[in-house]
Amino acid sequence: RAQQCLEMMRAAGLVPGSFAFTAAISACSKTGDWESAVSLLGEMRRENILPNVVTFTAAMHACGKGGQWQTALDLMDDMRAQGVPPNAFSYRTAIAICARAGKWEKTLQLIEQMKKEGLTPDLIDYGAAMGACGKGNQPGLALKLLADMQKAGVPPSNTSYRQALSACGYSGKWEQALELLDDMQERGLSPNSFLYASAISSCAKSGMWKKALGLLDRMHKVGVPPDVFAYSAAISACERGGQWEKALELLRVMPSRNVTPNVVCYNAAIAACEKGYRWEKAMELLEEMPTVGVAADVITYNTCIAACATGKQW
C-alpha cells in the first residue's frame, strides 16, 4: 500500500522525497517485507535522495523481521559509507536482530563498536546481548556484560539478572547463580520465581541437589512460592544427585502447595527412580500419571523401559 502511494505521487506529477520514502520503508518494517524495504533504499539512491538515519534503521528493522541479520548489518555499513552515522537506536535495532538470530559474537561486537563511537549502551542493549550469550552457552560473557554495565553506570534491573541467571541455568554455573541472587537482594531487588528456578536449574545441571533444595526453602522463607518450574528443576537436581527418595518427596508435596506436577516433573522423578534401581516406583508413577491428568510422552516411556531394564524386568 505504501509503495502504491509512492506510485500515485509520481502519477500526480509529484516527486517523493526523503519523508515519503522513509514512511514507505517504515511500513515495510512493520510487516517484515525486507526485500521491498531494501528495494526502496535502492530507488532513493537512483533518484539521488539521501536516506537519513531513520530511513536506514527502518530498513534494518524490516530485515530483522524477515530474519535477514546479515543484510541488516550490511545496511549499517552502507550508512557509514554514505556519511550517515548510526545512532543509539540503530545499534539497538542491530543488537536485537543479532540476538534473535543467536549471533552472540555480533552482539558483543556491536556493544564495543557503540562505545568506540561515543555511544552508551543502555539496559536494553546489554540485556539483549546477555540473552544471546546465555542461549549461546556463553555464561562467562553474560556475567561479564552484567559487570560491564555496572561499571558503565547502568544499574541492572530484574530483567538483567534474569538474563544472567538464565545463562547460568543453561550451563550449570551454580556458584555464580547463587552469587547473583545474593547480589540482587543487596541491591534491593526481589528475585521472582523464574529467577529462583533458573538458579535451581544451574544447581540441577551440576547435581547439587542440596543447594537446589536449599533454594526451595529460601523461596518459602522470603515469600516467593515455588512454581512448577522451580519444582521440576529441584526434582531434576535430586535425580542427577542420585536422590530418588527426595525426588518423590518433592513430587508428593507439590499438590499441597497448590502446584500441579506436569510431565517434566514426572519424567524427572521417574528418571530418579531409574537411577536408584527402583523400577517398581517408576512403573507406579507411570500408572499414576493418567489418574492425575498428566499424559506420558516418549521420554516417560523410554525412561520406564530403562528402569525395567536396569531392574532386569524383561
Side-chain angles (χ1 to χ4, degrees), residues 112-171:
E112 291 305 312
Q113 190 62 37
M114 282 187 78
K115 296 175 183 177
K116 289 178 182 177
E117 295 183 10
L119 299 172
T120 303
D122 64 10
L123 196 62
I124 297 173
D125 302 323
Y126 278 112
M130 288 167 62
C133 289
K135 290 178 181 177
N137 197 27
Q138 300 294 323
L141 293 175
L143 294 173
K144 182 180 182 302
L145 284 168
L146 184 67
D148 287 348
M149 66 188 292
Q150 294 178 66
K151 290 177 185 176
V154 181
S157 65
N158 272 29
T159 302
S160 309
Y161 279 102
R162 184 188 71 185
Q163 301 288 12
L165 278 163
S166 293
C168 292
Y170 288 135
S171 59

Side-chain angles (χ1 to χ4, degrees), residues 48-186:
N48 294 317
I49 301 172
L50 181 65
N52 58 30
V53 67
V54 178
T55 317
F56 273 111
T57 304
M60 289 168 57
H61 188 263
C63 292
K65 276 202 166 183
Q68 302 296 314
W69 65 271
Q70 185 60 64
T71 305
L73 296 185
D74 291 342
L75 288 176
M76 285 194 82
D77 291 337
D78 289 345
M79 289 174 72
R80 296 187 184 92
Q82 295 190 42
V84 181
N87 61 15
F89 189 70
S90 306
Y91 272 104
R92 176 179 298 176
T93 301
I95 291 168
I97 289 169
C98 291
R100 284 196 299 270
K103 303 298 177 181
W104 60 268
E105 304 99 323
K106 295 295 182 183
T107 66
L108 298 182
Q109 291 171 12
L110 289 165
I111 291 282
E112 291 305 312
Q113 190 62 37
M114 282 187 78
K115 296 175 183 177
K116 289 178 182 177
E117 295 183 10
L119 299 172
T120 303
D122 64 10
L123 196 62
I124 297 173
D125 302 323
Y126 278 112
M130 288 167 62
C133 289
K135 290 178 181 177
N137 197 27
Q138 300 294 323
L141 293 175
L143 294 173
K144 182 180 182 302
L145 284 168
L146 184 67
D148 287 348
M149 66 188 292
Q150 294 178 66
K151 290 177 185 176
V154 181
S157 65
N158 272 29
T159 302
S160 309
Y161 279 102
R162 184 188 71 185
Q163 301 288 12
L165 278 163
S166 293
C168 292
Y170 288 135
S171 59
K173 300 288 185 182
W174 65 272
E175 292 172 303
Q176 290 90 334
L178 297 185
E179 289 173 5
L180 287 171
L181 287 178
D182 292 338
D183 190 45
M184 283 189 75
Q185 292 186 323
E186 288 176 8

Side-chain angles (χ1 to χ4, degrees), residues 288-305:
E288 174 186 308
M289 290 174 72
T291 68
V292 295
V294 179
D297 60 13
V298 173
I299 296 173
T300 316
Y301 288 111
N302 285 345
T303 309
C304 282
I305 292 170

Side-chain angles (χ1 to χ4, degrees), residues 216-233:
L216 274 184
D217 289 338
R218 178 170 165 180
M219 291 178 75
H220 289 297
K221 290 176 182 176
V222 298
V224 180
D227 59 12
V228 68
F229 302 106
Y231 273 109
S232 64

